[in-house]
Amino acid sequence: MALVKRSHEDRAQTLVREILTCYVELEKEASLFPSPRVNGLFEKLVLTHPQISPITTLLRHLCSDGEYQLEAYWAERILNENTRDQASAMLLNFTYYANYIDLIRMEMNAIASVSKGSRPKAFGVLGSGPLPLTSICILQSFKKNKEPVSVHNFDRDSQAISRSSELCCKLGYSRDEMHFQRLDVMTDRCDMFDFDVVYLASLVGITGEEKQTAISNIVKQMCPGALLVIRSAHSLRGLLYPVGESSVVSLTSALISQVTSSSKRGLVYVPNEKHRSDDSIWVADDSDLTWYYNYLATPSPAFSNSTKLQFVPMLWGSSTTFLNEVTEQIEGGANISYVLGFNEPDGGGATGGSAIPADTAAETWQREIEPLRELGVKLGAPAVTGAPNGFTWLENFFNACDGNCNVDFIPVHWYGNFEGLASHIGQVMGTYPNKTIWVTEYANNNVPLKDSQIFYNQSSQYFDRIPNITHYSYFGSFRSSVSNVGPNAAMLTEKGKLTDIGSWYLGRSATGNVPRGAAGRSAVFGGGSIVILLTAAWCLL
């Protein structure tokens, strides 16, 4: 007995030490905002303990059964009420009704932020259960503003569909508002094409493999531009609800098949004499690209015979010949609709900047660029860096112009994560509200492959959804072995093969080619025209 007691005490002390270690590491973090490290520490508190991990799936199955029984019990109570008002009052007494109201409010705000200001009108809810609270709360949020909406409920349990249909009829919802259909997302064809937003309940897919199967089946049948909302969990709630992050990371097989095309995409490209075969990659018949620039006033010889890519001249730095060079092209029959101003004039030569004083640039602009307006050419402002001094340089430039420099669009450069990119573009839009935007250089530099791929998908999705962004060109049209933004940002491997990012950018499927120096698997946040929102699941039991 003494040995057994000592053994239990030792295991308890080990667990205490593990918890204390996690606590100390969490205390060191400057922020507990979700990140791989922070999430990992929270999960380690429980999920990775050898005595807990083996029963996690079993616990989730029990949670699923328990939640079903709880909903079925309350659905029966509501159905047993005599009048609609009494049934509605009983619904309000459901233990977690207020939680659902708050959760839907949060999710509707998130959906609105990526929906171009338009409200969705058709929802699909997978795993709606016998008490479809998500659907009811969605309808209530729209009815409050007298907006038309329909919700289609899906569940693999025919009894849940029958009961929830009867319940919604009892509550006064019409057949135009609420629809019900038995569907097993794991095995049946999931035709989601008619829905603006599709919800996936947190307990649809208990394991990571099941969740991946569910998401794969759904995404393949969704309308381009629709939104997928995945209910998930984090930290200790991962004991009862599946954690969604790993499923999103493994979505590649589902999302890569949904190839995106965009007429906004262009190419920033400087041909490499050592790898001339790379030139043809960008002008292939199935390439998605429509325009290109090369930091020069004249087109690249490699593309001189191409009718696919429209050339956009750039006045990189100080010049006395730019106007003549562009004019000659126009008079020769070239389609020159746009020109770009100075390249990173606020930056130094070490990073490719032209390092031109604002007053010199203003003088050069008025002499070499402004006259092109008379020829119908649209003019792009100087493309400053994404640093704060870029805004200062542009302000000084326009002041020096004294009203004599007219721009039609603002080029943007950004290197860093997506949050920074979106914030920077928002600041540009706020500073120049009446101008369209071209993002002429962007990448998430020197990061792991997964992060680079996630950034690419987030950013291209974002650009395609914002009408004010009319053109964009990813900075990565080179081999990974010569990349100055890290190998994982490159669109070509060291052998000249398209990486996943390169293939996606051309409007094709993933290649699986990993750039040299990279490791790990592909990951997509929002492939195709899908935006995936991960929402922390409320503890509903």
Side-chain angles (χ1 to χ4, degrees), residues 323-341:
L323 177 61
N324 289 335
E325 290 176 298
V326 175
T327 301
E328 287 177 5
Q329 293 175 63
I330 295 174
E331 292 175 346
N335 178 19
I336 303 296
S337 302
Y338 310 94
V339 295
L340 297 168

Side-chain angles (χ1 to χ4, degrees), residues 301-374:
F303 299 150
S304 59
N305 296 323
S306 172
T307 58
K308 183 176 182 59
L309 296 179
Q310 181 183 8
F311 176 61
V312 180
M314 171 184 271
L315 175 57
W316 183 84
S318 295
S319 171
T320 58
T321 61
F322 182 78
L323 177 61
N324 289 335
E325 290 176 298
V326 175
T327 301
E328 287 177 5
Q329 293 175 63
I330 295 174
E331 292 175 346
N335 178 19
I336 303 296
S337 302
Y338 310 94
V339 295
L340 297 168
F342 311 97
N343 184 68
E344 299 190 353
D346 59 315
T351 56
S354 52
I356 304 174
D359 54 350
T360 302
E363 179 183 343
T364 305
W365 177 287
Q366 293 173 62
R367 184 184 67 248
E368 301 293 328
I369 296 182
E370 191 66 26
L372 291 171
R373 291 182 64 84
E374 298 179 7

Side-chain angles (χ1 to χ4, degrees), residues 383-396:
V384 296
T385 66
N389 59 290
F391 286 98
T392 303
W393 190 98
L394 268 183
E395 182 180 2
N396 293 337

Side-chain angles (χ1 to χ4, degrees), residues 245-256:
E245 183 180 1
S246 60
S247 301
V248 175
V249 171
S250 60
L251 275 177
T252 304
S253 59
L255 297 178
I256 295 309

Side-chain angles (χ1 to χ4, degrees), residues 329-498:
Q329 293 175 63
I330 295 174
E331 292 175 346
N335 178 19
I336 303 296
S337 302
Y338 310 94
V339 295
L340 297 168
F342 311 97
N343 184 68
E344 299 190 353
D346 59 315
T351 56
S354 52
I356 304 174
D359 54 350
T360 302
E363 179 183 343
T364 305
W365 177 287
Q366 293 173 62
R367 184 184 67 248
E368 301 293 328
I369 296 182
E370 191 66 26
L372 291 171
R373 291 182 64 84
E374 298 179 7
L375 300 179
V377 179
K378 294 186 182 299
L379 313 180
V384 296
T385 66
N389 59 290
F391 286 98
T392 303
W393 190 98
L394 268 183
E395 182 180 2
N396 293 337
F397 168 76
F398 285 119
N399 287 338
C401 286
D402 195 24
N404 296 313
C405 302
N406 298 286
V407 303
D408 296 289
F409 58 92
I410 308 293
V412 167
H413 286 190
W414 180 261
Y415 294 95
N417 62 26
F418 174 74
E419 292 76 14
L421 169 68
S423 175
H424 181 67
I425 289 178
Q427 189 176 356
V428 173
M429 288 180 175
T431 306
Y432 304 100
N434 299 318
K435 304 297 179 184
T436 55
I437 289 177
W438 289 32
V439 185
T440 50
E441 282 188 25
Y442 74 100
N444 195 3
N445 53 314
N446 301 307
V447 297
L449 179 59
K450 182 183 77 172
D451 293 343
S452 191
Q453 292 175 329
I454 289 174
F455 169 83
Y456 168 77
N457 283 285
Q458 286 178 304
S459 55
S460 60
Q461 178 102 195
Y462 175 69
F463 297 154
D464 289 335
R465 297 178 74 89
I466 303 298
N468 208 39
I469 298 176
T470 61
H471 296 67
Y472 62 90
S473 52
Y474 181 78
F475 189 79
S477 58
F478 34 72
R479 299 193 177 198
S480 58
S481 53
V482 297
S483 173
N484 62 345
V485 287
N488 297 327
M491 290 198 282
L492 299 175
T493 67
E494 70 281 3
K495 296 181 179 179
K497 302 295 183 181
L498 283 169

